[in-house]
Amino acid sequence: QVQLMESGGGLVQPGGSLRLSCAASGMILNILSMGWYRLAPGKQRELVATISYSGDTNYADSVKGRFAISTDNAKNVVFLQMNSLKPEDTAVYYCAARHHARTSANGDDYPYWGQGTQVTVSS
């Protein structure tokens, strides 16, 4: 089992920045690819960004150029740097992981999920 713990959410004004972190712990015996998803009220879960074990990244069109996903050297912590935040970025952000070298755009392919962290962009 792998446990994921997010942190870094909060309230920010439009145009502001936040940095989310997700720490993986537990039975990290194999490689992990990780990603961030978000869920806003009345909307479906949305892929935000993913990063493969080798560092290949993928972003939703809505966040390209504003968000950046990265990992620490041990690749057990994944970060999401969010800049130029907009009210439509308001959502609960979830970290996800799977034991695979490559990421997937399908959230159902990730067996491990964090509890989520709220991001609210409002003036």
Side-chain angles (χ1 to χ4, degrees), residues 5-19:
M5 179 67 71
E6 302 101 335
S7 61
L11 173 65
V12 64
Q13 291 187 341
S17 298
L18 280 176
R19 190 191 196 204

Side-chain angles (χ1 to χ4, degrees), residues 60-92:
D61 288 342
S62 59
V63 306
K64 281 181 180 177
R66 299 188 298 122
F67 291 11
I69 188 171
S70 61
T71 60
D72 69 334
N73 288 337
K75 300 184 181 181
N76 290 340
V77 182
V78 62
F79 305 98
L80 185 68
Q81 178 67 43
M82 304 186 295
N83 300 324
S84 302
L85 282 161
K86 304 175 181 180
E88 51 264 42
D89 294 318
T90 296
V92 178

Side-chain angles (χ1 to χ4, degrees), residues 5-50:
M5 179 67 71
E6 302 101 335
S7 61
L11 173 65
V12 64
Q13 291 187 341
S17 298
L18 280 176
R19 190 191 196 204
L20 305 183
S21 300
C22 173
S25 61
M27 299 290 284
I28 307 174
L29 302 178
N30 298 316
I31 55 177
L32 286 175
S33 58
M34 304 179 79
W36 288 95
Y37 285 76
R38 65 187 180 186
L39 183 62
K43 295 185 178 181
Q44 291 186 331
R45 182 179 62 192
E46 178 187 19
L47 169 69
V48 178
T50 60

